[in-house]
Amino acid sequence: MLGLKSVVFPACSAICVLSFFYKLLDLRRRKWDPALFALLVAFFCKGVSFALSTPEVSAHVDAFFGVPNLGALGIHVMGGVLSSAAILITIVYWVYPAAQAIPKVRVRLLGAALCGALMVTLWWIGNEGAGGRTPHYLLQNAHHPVTASYLLVYVAAFGASMIEIIRLCRRYGRVSGRTWLRRGLSFTAIGATACLVYCLNRASVVIAVQLNVSPLNWEALTPIANGIGITFLAAGLTMPSWGPSISGVRRRVTNFLAYRQMHRLWSDLCAANPNIVLSPQETSALSRFIPYDINYRLYRRVIEIQDGLLALRPYMYPTGAGTGAPSHGQARLPGMQGAAAEAALIVAALEAKVRNVQPPQEPMSVSSFVPSDVDYAGEVCRLVGIARAYSAFAKRGSGGQQERRRTGAAAVRR
């Protein structure tokens, strides 16, 4: 069992240290944020607690100060009472306005101080009769009434904080308007639930010793529950900071894929109307595969495709029939819907423009190409669908399209 703790608890301490220094960077722009300060205290106390939970470390601490079981007191006060109170204070500041949060924080600080003072008193009294250092302080001394009282105060303080954290996270996670805050609260609730399992495991020690059952039989649950708990707690409590960066990366990847999928449609429209291109370097082969400034480039590509479609209005065949229609049959619109129908119209219009044949009908309305009821994200999705359908048509098209793209690209570069 000590071997498992020697592996899991240092890893848990490392998670706390990394989280502490990650949030410490925020002090440069949020010096007076009480939620940030409380979060730093929580990670610091948890990190020290997990370091002391490593059997070798607690043994050295006891030997250095000459006080047996001092490391156990540090584990329980810092890792149970102080850290859980600090996490709870952080969440209170997150979910309540400052005016409502301050009195709630005072109550929790007072409760943590009283529990901490009571635990120190009980530990001091109980440690006198412990008979020296014990590797499993709570498990090996739970048969003493004072130590059992100490254990129950520790479990009650720690468990009550976890229950309150779960309650707040579940209540305000559902109504949070910030996506990553909502996800962070969900992760925090999961971590608090794992810690609550640890509290129940510790409380069972009092019953087990009365039944002459050794609690060491299921002590493996302690490092497992703590490992799961701190992993989810650290992820949840820091998620509002790093989560939006993930969304930004995902958005850039999505935009780059959309940019690439629109390339063939955009390239053919540029070949037919080179003047729609704002930046000639966009036509270079290398720029297609480099996602620099991709948000702006995708925006430009959407505008240029819309301009190219507007320039093709005189050659559009609303019914799919008329002179100059493609001979390979992909532009017959009856039966086609949505993106496929619009892509077929574009193929037909491009070939009609090459032949310089205009339909006898009135040109299609502007709203057919730039819908007024679609936002930018919706327009990107719409054009991606059209571009995919267009690419499928173009692969079956005549070789004249490739020649038209090469000619148009040369005209743009000039």
Side-chain angles (χ1 to χ4, degrees):
M1 187 55 57
L2 294 178
L4 181 61
K5 291 183 177 181
S6 298
V7 174
V8 174
F9 287 142
C12 293
S13 182
I15 291 174
C16 294
V17 170
L18 292 175
S19 301
F20 175 84
F21 282 105
Y22 174 73
K23 295 305 296 181
L24 192 64
L25 298 175
D26 290 346
L27 279 178
R28 294 176 296 180
R29 53 188 178 85
R30 294 164 54 193
K31 293 182 178 180
W32 307 110
D33 186 350
L36 176 59
F37 181 75
L39 189 56
L40 290 173
V41 171
F43 284 133
F44 176 80
C45 292
K46 271 293 186 185
V48 172
S49 170
F50 282 123
L52 292 173
S53 297
T54 307
E56 297 80 3
V57 175
S58 58
H60 281 89
V61 169
D62 292 352
F64 179 81
F65 289 98
V67 180
N69 302 314
L70 180 63
L73 177 65
I75 293 170
H76 303 142
V77 172
M78 298 192 72
V81 178
L82 297 182
S83 65
S84 59
I87 293 173
L88 188 55
I89 289 171
T90 299
I91 297 175
V92 166
Y93 275 113
W94 280 356
V95 301
Y96 289 108
Q100 297 181 26
I102 291 175
K104 296 178 183 296
V105 167
R106 288 174 180 167
V107 171
R108 285 157 177 81
L109 285 175
L110 179 60
L114 292 175
C115 287
L118 181 58
M119 286 178 62
V120 171
T121 303
L122 292 172
W123 172 85
W124 186 267
I125 299 172
N127 201 42
E128 294 293 329
R133 184 180 187 277
T134 51
H136 301 282
Y137 177 71
L138 292 178
L139 277 61
Q140 294 174 287
N141 297 285
H143 57 282
H144 297 301
V146 176
T147 304
S149 300
Y150 167 86
L151 188 155
L152 292 176
V153 172
Y154 162 59
V155 169
F158 194 6
S161 296
M162 293 301 104
I163 292 173
E164 181 66 6
I165 288 172
I166 295 170
R167 186 188 72 83
L168 289 176
C169 289
R170 289 178 58 84
R171 178 180 178 182
Y172 291 96
R174 299 190 187 99
V175 298
S176 175
R178 295 167 53 192
T179 300
W180 285 104
L181 176 57
R182 181 170 64 252
R183 294 171 180 170
L185 292 175
S186 297
F187 270 63
T188 303
I190 295 173
T193 301
C195 292
L196 189 59
V197 171
Y198 161 75
C199 293
L200 295 175
N201 176 49
R202 276 290 174 260
S204 69
V205 173
V206 178
I207 301 175
V209 295
Q210 299 299 323
L211 301 175
N212 293 321
V213 178
S214 175
L216 286 173
N217 294 336
W218 57 88
E219 181 60 7
L221 187 60
T222 294
I224 293 173
N226 276 285
I228 295 173
I230 193 56
T231 300
F232 277 93
L233 284 173
L237 293 170
T238 58
M239 194 174 288
S241 297
W242 53 260
S245 299
I246 293 181
S247 294
V249 172
R250 184 172 57 189
R251 182 168 55 252
R252 285 191 289 272
V253 171
T254 301
N255 287 348
F256 181 67
L257 293 176
Y259 178 85
R260 292 283 299 121
Q261 289 169 328
M262 292 182 190
H263 176 76
R264 186 159 193 173
L265 172 61
W266 172 84
S267 179
D268 285 355
L269 292 174
C270 292
N273 298 280
N275 293 330
I276 66 174
V277 181
L278 178 65
S279 302
Q281 62 267 26
E282 286 291 319
T283 60
S284 65
L286 185 61
S287 66
R288 295 167 51 187
F289 303 99
I290 302 178
Y292 68 91
D293 200 14
I294 191 60
N295 296 335
Y296 171 75
R297 291 168 65 199
L298 177 63
Y299 177 77
R300 282 302 317 164
R301 178 147 293 186
V302 169
I303 297 299
E304 288 165 3
I305 288 176
Q306 290 174 339
D307 289 345
L309 294 177
L310 289 174
L312 285 178
R313 286 177 62 209
Y315 303 94
M316 287 291 181
Y317 290 81
T319 63
T323 42
S327 58
H328 42 78
Q330 71 268 41
R332 290 194 294 270
L333 297 185
M336 291 186 180
Q337 295 180 352
E342 295 190 60
L345 280 174
I346 296 169
V347 172
L350 287 171
E351 294 197 11
K353 187 175 189 304
V354 170
R355 300 176 186 179
N356 198 25
V357 177
Q358 297 186 17
Q361 299 97 330
E362 289 292 327
M364 300 184 71
S365 64
V366 174
S367 62
S368 300
F369 309 103
V370 188
S372 58
D373 58 342
V374 178
D375 59 8
Y376 173 71
E379 181 64 3
V380 170
C381 293
R382 189 182 76 92
L383 290 180
V384 166
I386 295 173
R388 287 174 179 170
Y390 177 84
S391 296
F393 287 141
K395 288 178 182 178
R396 302 196 302 268
S398 63
Q401 288 183 334
Q402 298 179 0
E403 180 63 29
R404 187 164 65 250
R405 282 198 296 270
R406 287 194 294 269
T407 304
V412 170
R413 286 192 292 271
R414 290 197 295 269

